Coordinates of all heavy atoms in Angstrom, one line a residue:
M1 N 0.8 -1.3 0.1 CA 0.0 0.0 0.0 C 0.9 1.2 -0.1 O 1.9 1.3 0.8 CB -0.8 0.1 1.2 CG -1.7 1.2 1.4 SD -2.8 1.1 2.7 CE -4.3 0.9 1.7
T2 N 0.5 2.3 -0.8 CA 1.3 3.5 -0.8 C 0.8 4.4 0.2 O -0.4 4.6 0.5 CB 1.0 4.2 -2.3 OG1 1.3 3.3 -3.3 CG2 1.8 5.4 -2.4
T3 N 1.8 5.1 0.9 CA 1.5 6.0 1.9 C 1.5 7.5 1.3 O 2.3 7.9 0.7 CB 2.6 6.0 3.0 OG1 2.6 4.6 3.5 CG2 2.3 7.0 4.2
I4 N 0.4 8.2 1.7 CA 0.3 9.6 1.2 C 0.8 10.4 2.4 O 0.3 10.4 3.5 CB -1.2 9.9 0.8 CG1 -1.6 9.0 -0.3 CG2 -1.3 11.4 0.6 CD1 -3.1 9.1 -0.7
N5 N 1.8 11.3 2.0 CA 2.3 12.1 3.1 C 2.3 13.5 2.7 O 3.2 14.2 2.5 CB 3.6 11.7 3.4 CG 4.2 12.5 4.7 OD1 3.5 13.0 5.4 ND2 5.5 12.4 4.8
H6 N 1.1 14.2 2.5 CA 0.9 15.6 2.1 C 0.4 16.3 3.3 O -0.7 16.0 3.8 CB -0.1 15.8 0.9 CG 0.3 15.3 -0.2 ND1 1.3 15.7 -1.0 CD2 0.0 14.0 -1.0 CE1 1.6 15.0 -2.1 NE2 0.7 14.1 -2.0
Q7 N 1.2 17.1 3.8 CA 0.7 17.9 5.2 C 0.1 19.2 4.6 O 0.8 19.9 3.8 CB 1.9 18.1 6.0 CG 2.4 16.9 6.6 CD 3.6 17.2 7.6 OE1 4.3 18.1 7.4 NE2 3.6 16.5 8.8
L8 N -1.0 19.5 5.1 CA -1.8 20.7 4.7 C -2.2 21.4 5.9 O -2.5 20.8 7.0 CB -3.2 20.3 4.0 CG -3.1 19.4 2.8 CD1 -4.4 18.9 2.2 CD2 -2.3 20.2 1.6
V9 N -2.1 22.8 5.9 CA -2.5 23.7 6.8 C -3.6 24.6 6.5 O -3.7 24.9 5.3 CB -1.3 24.4 7.5 CG1 -0.3 23.4 8.1 CG2 -0.7 25.3 6.6
S10 N -4.4 25.2 7.3 CA -5.4 26.2 7.0 C -4.8 27.4 6.6 O -3.6 27.7 6.8 CB -6.3 26.4 8.2 OG -5.6 27.1 9.2
L11 N -5.6 28.3 6.0 CA -5.1 29.7 5.6 C -4.6 30.5 6.9 O -3.5 31.0 6.8 CB -6.3 30.4 5.0 CG -6.0 31.5 4.1 CD1 -5.2 31.0 2.8 CD2 -7.3 32.1 3.7
A12 N -5.3 30.4 8.0 CA -4.9 31.0 9.2 C -3.6 30.5 9.7 O -2.7 31.3 10.2 CB -6.1 30.9 10.3
D13 N -3.4 29.3 9.7 CA -2.1 28.7 10.2 C -1.0 29.1 9.3 O 0.1 29.3 9.8 CB -2.3 27.1 10.2 CG -3.3 26.6 11.3 OD1 -3.5 27.4 12.4 OD2 -3.6 25.5 11.3
A14 N -1.2 29.1 8.1 CA -0.1 29.5 7.1 C 0.2 31.0 7.3 O 1.4 31.4 7.4 CB -0.5 29.3 5.6
A15 N -0.8 31.7 7.5 CA -0.5 33.2 7.9 C 0.2 33.4 9.1 O 1.2 34.1 9.3 CB -1.9 34.0 7.9
D16 N -0.1 32.6 10.1 CA 0.6 32.6 11.5 C 2.1 32.2 11.2 O 3.0 32.8 11.7 CB -0.1 31.8 12.4 CG -1.3 32.3 13.0 OD1 -1.6 33.5 12.8 OD2 -2.1 31.6 13.7
A17 N 2.3 31.2 10.6 CA 3.6 30.7 10.3 C 4.6 31.7 9.5 O 5.7 31.7 9.8 CB 3.6 29.4 9.5
L18 N 3.8 32.3 8.6 CA 4.7 33.4 7.9 C 4.6 34.7 8.5 O 5.2 35.7 7.9 CB 4.1 33.5 6.4 CG 4.3 32.1 5.5 CD1 3.5 32.2 4.3 CD2 5.7 31.9 5.4
A19 N 3.9 35.1 9.5 CA 3.7 36.3 10.2 C 3.1 37.4 9.3 O 3.6 38.5 9.2 CB 4.9 36.7 10.9
V20 N 2.1 37.0 8.5 CA 1.3 37.8 7.6 C -0.1 37.6 7.7 O -0.5 36.8 8.5 CB 1.8 37.6 6.0 CG1 3.3 37.8 5.9 CG2 1.4 36.1 5.6
S21 N -0.9 38.5 7.1 CA -2.3 38.3 7.0 C -2.8 37.2 6.1 O -2.1 36.7 5.2 CB -2.9 39.6 6.7 OG -2.8 39.9 5.3
T22 N -4.0 36.8 6.3 CA -4.6 35.7 5.5 C -4.8 36.3 4.0 O -4.7 35.6 3.1 CB -6.0 35.2 6.0 OG1 -6.8 36.3 6.1 CG2 -5.8 34.5 7.3
R23 N -5.0 37.5 3.9 CA -5.2 38.3 2.7 C -3.8 38.1 1.9 O -3.7 37.8 0.7 CB -5.6 39.8 2.9 CG -5.6 40.3 1.4 CD -5.9 41.9 1.8 NE -7.4 41.9 1.6 CZ -8.2 43.0 1.8 NH1 -7.7 44.1 1.9 NH2 -9.5 42.8 1.8
T24 N -2.6 38.3 2.6 CA -1.4 38.2 1.9 C -1.2 36.6 1.5 O -0.5 36.4 0.4 CB -0.3 38.7 2.9 OG1 -0.5 39.9 3.2 CG2 1.1 38.5 2.3
V25 N -1.5 35.7 2.3 CA -1.4 34.3 2.0 C -2.2 34.1 0.7 O -1.7 33.5 -0.2 CB -1.8 33.4 3.0 CG1 -1.8 32.0 2.6 CG2 -1.1 33.5 4.3
R26 N -3.4 34.6 0.5 CA -4.2 34.4 -0.6 C -3.5 35.1 -1.8 O -3.6 34.6 -2.9 CB -5.6 35.0 -0.4 CG -6.5 34.3 0.5 CD -7.8 34.9 0.5 NE -8.8 34.3 1.5 CZ -9.5 33.2 1.3 NH1 -9.4 32.7 0.1 NH2 -10.2 32.7 2.2
R27 N -2.9 36.2 -1.6 CA -2.1 36.7 -2.7 C -1.0 35.9 -3.2 O -0.7 35.8 -4.4 CB -1.7 38.2 -2.2 CG -1.1 39.1 -3.4 CD -0.8 40.5 -2.9 NE -1.6 40.9 -1.8 CZ -1.1 41.3 -0.7 NH1 0.2 41.5 -0.5 NH2 -2.0 41.9 0.3
Y28 N -0.2 35.4 -2.2 CA 0.9 34.5 -2.5 C 0.4 33.3 -3.3 O 1.0 32.8 -4.2 CB 1.5 33.9 -1.2 CG 2.3 35.0 -0.5 CD1 2.7 34.8 0.9 CD2 2.9 36.1 -1.1 CE1 3.4 35.9 1.6 CE2 3.6 37.1 -0.3 CZ 3.9 36.9 1.0 OH 4.6 37.8 1.7
I29 N -0.7 32.7 -3.0 CA -1.4 31.7 -3.6 C -1.7 32.0 -5.2 O -1.3 31.4 -6.1 CB -2.6 31.2 -3.0 CG1 -2.2 30.5 -1.6 CG2 -3.4 30.1 -3.8 CD1 -3.5 30.1 -0.7
A30 N -2.4 33.2 -5.2 CA -2.7 33.7 -6.5 C -1.6 33.9 -7.3 O -1.6 33.7 -8.6 CB -3.6 35.0 -6.4
D31 N -0.3 34.4 -6.8 CA 0.8 34.7 -7.5 C 1.6 33.4 -7.9 O 2.6 33.4 -8.4 CB 1.7 35.6 -6.7 CG 1.2 37.0 -6.6 OD1 0.2 37.4 -7.4 OD2 1.6 37.8 -5.8
G32 N 1.3 32.3 -7.2 CA 1.9 31.0 -7.5 C 3.0 30.8 -6.6 O 3.8 29.9 -6.8
Q33 N 3.2 31.5 -5.6 CA 4.3 31.5 -4.6 C 4.1 30.4 -3.5 O 5.0 29.8 -3.0 CB 4.7 32.9 -4.0 CG 5.1 33.9 -4.9 CD 5.3 35.1 -4.2 OE1 6.2 35.2 -3.4 NE2 4.5 36.2 -4.5
L34 N 2.7 30.1 -3.3 CA 2.4 29.0 -2.4 C 1.4 28.0 -3.1 O 0.6 28.5 -3.9 CB 1.7 29.6 -1.0 CG 2.5 30.3 -0.2 CD1 1.7 30.9 1.0 CD2 3.7 29.4 0.4
D35 N 1.5 26.8 -2.8 CA 0.7 25.8 -3.4 C -0.5 25.5 -2.4 O -0.3 25.3 -1.2 CB 1.3 24.5 -3.5 CG 2.6 24.5 -4.5 OD1 2.5 25.4 -5.6 OD2 3.6 23.8 -4.4
A36 N -1.6 25.5 -3.0 CA -2.9 25.3 -2.2 C -3.9 24.4 -2.8 O -3.7 24.0 -4.1 CB -3.7 26.6 -2.0
V37 N -4.6 23.7 -2.1 CA -5.6 22.7 -2.5 C -7.0 23.2 -2.1 O -7.1 23.4 -0.8 CB -5.2 21.3 -2.0 CG1 -6.3 20.3 -2.4 CG2 -3.8 21.0 -2.3
R38 N -7.9 23.0 -2.8 CA -9.3 23.4 -2.5 C -10.0 22.0 -2.2 O -10.1 21.2 -3.0 CB -10.1 24.2 -3.7 CG -11.4 24.6 -3.1 CD -12.1 25.6 -4.1 NE -11.2 26.9 -4.2 CZ -11.3 27.8 -3.3 NH1 -12.0 27.7 -2.1 NH2 -10.7 28.9 -3.5
L39 N -10.5 21.9 -0.9 CA -11.0 20.7 -0.5 C -12.6 20.7 -0.6 O -13.4 19.7 -0.3 CB -10.6 20.3 0.9 CG -9.2 20.0 1.1 CD1 -8.8 19.9 2.4 CD2 -8.7 18.9 0.2
G40 N -13.2 21.8 -0.8 CA -14.6 22.0 -0.9 C -14.9 23.4 -1.4 O -14.0 24.1 -1.8
H41 N -16.1 23.9 -1.4 CA -16.4 25.1 -2.0 C -15.8 26.3 -1.2 O -15.2 27.2 -1.8 CB -18.0 25.4 -1.9 CG -18.3 26.7 -2.5 ND1 -18.4 27.0 -3.8 CD2 -18.8 27.8 -1.7 CE1 -18.6 28.3 -3.9 NE2 -19.2 28.7 -2.7
R42 N -15.6 26.2 0.1 CA -15.0 27.2 0.8 C -13.7 26.8 1.7 O -13.1 27.6 2.3 CB -16.0 27.8 1.8 CG -17.3 28.4 1.2 CD -18.0 29.0 2.3 NE -17.4 30.0 2.8 CZ -17.9 30.9 3.7 NH1 -19.0 30.7 4.1 NH2 -17.2 31.9 4.3
T43 N -13.3 25.6 1.5 CA -12.2 25.0 2.3 C -10.9 25.0 1.4 O -10.8 24.3 0.3 CB -12.5 23.6 2.6 OG1 -13.7 23.6 3.4 CG2 -11.4 23.1 3.6
L44 N -9.9 25.7 1.8 CA -8.6 25.9 1.2 C -7.5 25.5 2.1 O -7.5 25.9 3.3 CB -8.5 27.4 0.7 CG -7.4 27.8 -0.2 CD1 -7.6 27.1 -1.6 CD2 -7.3 29.2 -0.5
R45 N -6.7 24.7 1.6 CA -5.5 24.2 2.6 C -4.2 24.5 1.8 O -4.1 24.5 0.5 CB -5.6 22.8 2.8 CG -6.8 22.5 3.8 CD -6.7 23.1 5.2 NE -7.7 22.7 6.0 CZ -8.7 23.5 6.3 NH1 -8.7 24.7 5.8 NH2 -9.6 23.1 7.2
I46 N -3.2 24.9 2.5 CA -1.9 25.1 1.9 C -0.9 24.0 2.2 O -0.9 23.5 3.4 CB -1.3 26.5 2.5 CG1 -2.2 27.7 2.0 CG2 0.1 26.8 2.0 CD1 -3.3 27.9 2.8
R47 N -0.1 23.6 1.2 CA 0.8 22.6 1.4 C 2.0 23.0 2.3 O 2.6 24.1 1.9 CB 1.4 22.1 0.1 CG 0.3 21.4 -0.8 CD 1.0 20.8 -2.1 NE -0.1 20.5 -3.1 CZ -0.6 19.4 -2.9 NH1 -0.2 18.4 -2.2 NH2 -1.6 19.1 -3.9
V48 N 2.3 22.4 3.4 CA 3.4 22.7 4.2 C 4.7 22.8 3.5 O 5.5 23.8 3.7 CB 3.4 21.7 5.4 CG1 4.8 22.0 6.3 CG2 2.3 21.8 6.3
E49 N 5.0 21.9 2.5 CA 6.4 21.9 1.9 C 6.4 23.2 1.0 O 7.5 23.7 0.8 CB 6.5 20.7 1.0 CG 5.5 20.5 -0.1 CD 4.4 19.6 0.3 OE1 4.2 19.2 1.5 OE2 3.6 19.2 -0.7
S50 N 5.3 23.8 0.6 CA 5.4 25.0 -0.3 C 5.8 26.2 0.7 O 6.4 27.2 0.3 CB 4.1 25.3 -1.1 OG 3.1 25.8 -0.3
I51 N 5.3 26.2 2.0 CA 5.7 27.2 2.9 C 7.1 27.2 3.2 O 7.8 28.1 3.3 CB 4.9 27.0 4.2 CG1 3.2 27.3 4.0 CG2 5.3 28.0 5.3 CD1 2.5 26.9 5.1
D52 N 7.6 25.9 3.4 CA 9.0 25.6 3.7 C 9.9 26.2 2.4 O 10.8 26.8 2.6 CB 9.4 24.2 3.8 CG 8.8 23.7 5.1 OD1 8.5 24.4 6.0 OD2 8.6 22.5 5.2
R53 N 9.5 25.9 1.3 CA 10.2 26.4 0.0 C 10.2 28.0 0.1 O 11.1 28.6 -0.3 CB 9.6 25.9 -1.2 CG 10.0 24.6 -1.7 CD 9.7 24.3 -3.1 NE 8.3 24.7 -3.4 CZ 7.2 24.0 -3.5 NH1 7.4 22.7 -3.1 NH2 6.1 24.3 -3.7
F54 N 9.0 28.5 0.3 CA 8.9 30.0 0.3 C 9.8 30.7 1.2 O 10.4 31.6 0.9 CB 7.4 30.2 0.6 CG 7.1 31.8 0.6 CD1 6.7 32.4 -0.5 CD2 7.0 32.5 1.8 CE1 6.3 33.7 -0.6 CE2 6.7 33.9 1.8 CZ 6.4 34.4 0.6
V55 N 9.9 30.1 2.4 CA 10.7 30.7 3.4 C 12.2 30.5 3.2 O 12.9 31.5 3.3 CB 10.3 30.1 4.9 CG1 11.5 30.5 5.9 CG2 9.0 30.4 5.4
T56 N 12.6 29.3 2.7 CA 14.0 29.0 2.4 C 14.5 29.8 1.1 O 15.7 30.0 1.0 CB 14.4 27.5 2.3 OG1 13.5 27.1 1.2 CG2 14.1 26.8 3.6
A57 N 13.5 30.3 0.3 CA 13.9 31.0 -0.9 C 14.2 32.4 -0.6 O 14.6 33.2 -1.5 CB 12.8 30.8 -1.9
R58 N 14.0 32.9 0.6 CA 14.1 34.3 0.9 C 15.0 34.5 2.2 O 14.5 35.1 3.2 CB 12.7 34.9 1.3 CG 11.9 35.1 0.0 CD 10.5 35.1 0.3 NE 9.8 35.2 -0.9 CZ 9.4 34.2 -1.8 NH1 10.0 33.0 -1.5 NH2 8.7 34.5 -2.9
P59 N 16.3 34.1 2.0 CA 17.3 34.2 3.1 C 17.5 35.8 3.3 O 17.5 36.7 2.5 CB 18.5 33.7 2.7 CG 18.5 33.6 1.2 CD 17.0 33.6 0.9
V60 N 17.8 36.1 4.6 CA 18.2 37.6 4.9 C 19.7 37.7 5.3 O 20.1 36.8 5.9 CB 17.2 38.0 6.2 CG1 17.6 39.4 6.6 CG2 15.7 37.9 5.8
G61 N 20.2 38.7 4.9 CA 21.6 39.0 5.3 C 22.6 38.5 4.3 O 23.8 38.6 4.5
R62 N 22.2 37.8 3.2 CA 23.1 37.5 2.2 C 23.1 38.4 1.0 O 22.1 38.9 0.7 CB 22.7 36.1 1.6 CG 22.8 34.9 2.5 CD 22.5 33.6 1.9 NE 22.6 32.5 2.8 CZ 22.3 31.3 2.4 NH1 21.8 31.0 1.2 NH2 22.4 30.2 3.1
P63 N 24.3 38.8 0.6 CA 24.4 39.6 -0.6 C 23.6 38.9 -1.8 O 23.8 37.8 -2.0 CB 25.8 39.9 -0.9 CG 26.4 38.8 -0.2 CD 25.6 38.3 1.0
R64 N 23.0 39.6 -2.6 CA 22.3 39.2 -3.8 C 23.3 39.1 -4.9 O 24.2 39.8 -4.9 CB 21.1 40.2 -4.3 CG 20.1 40.1 -3.3 CD 18.8 40.9 -3.9 NE 19.0 42.3 -3.7 CZ 18.3 43.2 -4.2 NH1 17.3 42.9 -5.0 NH2 18.7 44.5 -3.9
R65 N 23.0 38.1 -5.8 CA 24.0 38.0 -6.9 C 23.9 39.1 -7.8 O 22.9 39.9 -8.0 CB 23.5 36.8 -7.8 CG 23.6 35.5 -7.1 CD 23.3 34.4 -8.0 NE 23.3 33.1 -7.4 CZ 22.8 31.9 -7.8 NH1 22.4 32.0 -9.2 NH2 22.9 30.9 -7.1
G66 N 25.2 39.6 -8.2 CA 25.2 40.7 -9.0 C 25.2 42.1 -8.3 O 25.5 43.1 -8.9
A67 N 25.1 42.0 -7.0 CA 25.0 43.3 -6.2 C 26.4 43.6 -5.9 O 27.3 42.8 -5.5 CB 24.2 43.2 -4.9
A68 N 26.7 44.8 -6.1 CA 28.1 45.4 -5.8 C 28.2 46.4 -4.9 O 27.2 47.2 -4.7 CB 28.8 45.9 -7.2

């Protein structure tokens, strides 16, 4: 049997994890920066791995490439 290991969190939980508003999380989803799954007419869940990718893609304190 295949094990499914997709961790999903609510919009509010994703907003708390990222320290932003739920409106900002919705904007990130619309922009394709976060992966979300619609489980019903009003139920939206965000994939935890996309939150991890989002956070690790934005390090602070490192010089940007090409910056002089």
